């Protein structure tokens, strides 16, 4: 009889223990990798580019560098995550909207220009950088303006609006080549397969400043469009959106934004615009 009472008590304790665990009694989220918590033992997945020097680059040793990486790391810290709780996920240009819809990442900081079409499926915090579309050409190129691209070979990345802007507004006779990444366009420019690469000046400056390309390329110095970089979040996730905006404002006020610009773009003598105000979109 005594043994039966002990067994019953033990069973009751076991049930209570399992119930507490199922309810999250350890204080952790049920999905440790979802980025849905506010730090603690969770991780957060953040979308970045892997092939953009100065902005989002995966280094040979597996670490990450660039302005977008610094911004994302600062924002994650304000959301309650340490650097070792961040998992950076490659989000290429054509897949950014889907990555947010699927919940692959909590937010995306990947040279993500805010425009009306994208706002139909994504909410944007920021902007956090104002860039301008430009051209990267060989150092000895005679291309000095966008109209010079007529009958020339122009490279851009699939899903980017940059090349179409050139064809629509400046050089309708340009021969457009689309590649899956900027590194492929750089290789094509280096080999002479294309005459110019077009995208944002911040991206082009990052490539031009790399040691392996030193002296090979130059920026044309054009301002063909205004590109307001925002941080993409899943449509309707207002809570995360507001927290990110607050983090970006704090980054600017603490001068951490200025430091990130100098650290990542300084070697290319990139003439950046001042930090934009939250919600201020330059058309």
């Amino acid at each position: 009889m005594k043994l039966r009472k002990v067994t019953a008590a033990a069973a009751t304790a076991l049930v209570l223990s399992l119930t507490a665990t199922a309810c999250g009694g350890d204080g952790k989220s049920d999905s440790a990798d979802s980025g849905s918590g506010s730090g603690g033992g969770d991780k957060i997945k953040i979308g970045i580019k892997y092939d953009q020097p100065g902005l989002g680059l995966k280094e040979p040793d597996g670490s990450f560098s660039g302005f977008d990486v610094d911004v994302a790391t600062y924002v994650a810290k304000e959301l309650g995550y340490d650097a070792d709780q961040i998992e950076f996920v490659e989000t290429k240009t054509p897949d950014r909207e889907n990555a947010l819809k699927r919940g692959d990442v909590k937010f995306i900081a990947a040279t993500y220009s805010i425009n009306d079409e994208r706002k139909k499926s994504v909410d944007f915090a920021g902007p956090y950088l104002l860039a301008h579309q430009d051209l990267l050409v060989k150092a000895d190129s005679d291309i000095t303006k966008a109209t010079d691209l007529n009958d020339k070979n122009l490279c851009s990345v699939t899903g980017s609006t940059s090349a179409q802007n050139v064809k629509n507004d400046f050089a309708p006779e340009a021969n457009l080549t689309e590649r899956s990444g900027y590194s492929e366009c750089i290789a094509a420019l280096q080999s002479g397969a294309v005459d110019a690469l077009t995208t944002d000046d911040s991206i082009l400056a990052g490539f031009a400043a790399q040691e392996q390309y030193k002296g090979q390329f130059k920026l044309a110095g054009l301002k063909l469009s205004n590109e307001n970089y925002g941080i993409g979040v899943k449509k309707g996730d207002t809570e995360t959106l507001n927290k990110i905006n607050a983090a970006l404002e704090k980054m600017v006020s603490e001068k951490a934004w200025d430091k990130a610009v100098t650290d990542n773009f300084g070697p290319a003598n990139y003439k950046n615009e001042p930090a934009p105000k939250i919600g201020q979109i330059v058309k």
Side-chain angles (χ1 to χ4, degrees), residues 151-211:
D151 297 320
K152 300 285 188 180
N153 297 316
L154 174 65
C155 191
S156 192
V157 172
T158 304
S160 172
T161 59
S162 299
Q164 204 56 53
N165 289 342
V166 171
K167 284 184 67 68
N168 290 344
D169 300 332
F170 303 102
E173 301 303 317
N175 303 311
L176 175 60
T177 297
E178 291 186 318
R179 303 293 171 92
S180 62
Y182 292 105
S183 296
E184 295 177 27
C185 278
I186 287 288
L189 180 60
Q190 193 174 34
S191 69
V194 299
D195 301 292
L197 160 60
T198 186
T199 187
D200 306 345
D201 53 7
S202 56
I203 298 172
L204 298 177
F207 277 107
Q210 294 298 290
E211 186 64 30

Side-chain angles (χ1 to χ4, degrees), residues 3-56:
L3 179 61
R4 185 178 302 164
K5 287 182 179 179
V6 172
T7 303
T12 300
L14 177 61
V15 170
L16 290 173
S17 175
L18 291 172
T19 302
T21 301
C23 293
D26 59 356
K28 294 183 179 181
S29 166
D30 289 340
S31 179
D33 293 328
S34 67
S36 59
S38 57
D42 297 345
K43 288 185 177 292
I44 184 169
K45 292 183 178 180
I46 302 173
I48 62 168
K49 293 291 182 66
Y50 275 19
D51 65 344
Q52 292 181 351
L55 286 151

Side-chain angles (χ1 to χ4, degrees), residues 120-169:
K120 293 177 183 178
S121 55
V122 175
D123 285 337
F124 284 100
Y128 64 92
L129 183 71
L130 175 60
H132 303 286
Q133 185 181 344
D134 200 354
L135 303 176
L136 188 69
V137 296
K138 283 191 171 182
D140 60 354
S141 173
D142 58 0
I143 295 174
T144 59
K145 54 188 182 297
T147 52
D148 291 338
L149 291 170
N150 280 309
D151 297 320
K152 300 285 188 180
N153 297 316
L154 174 65
C155 191
S156 192
V157 172
T158 304
S160 172
T161 59
S162 299
Q164 204 56 53
N165 289 342
V166 171
K167 284 184 67 68
N168 290 344
D169 300 332

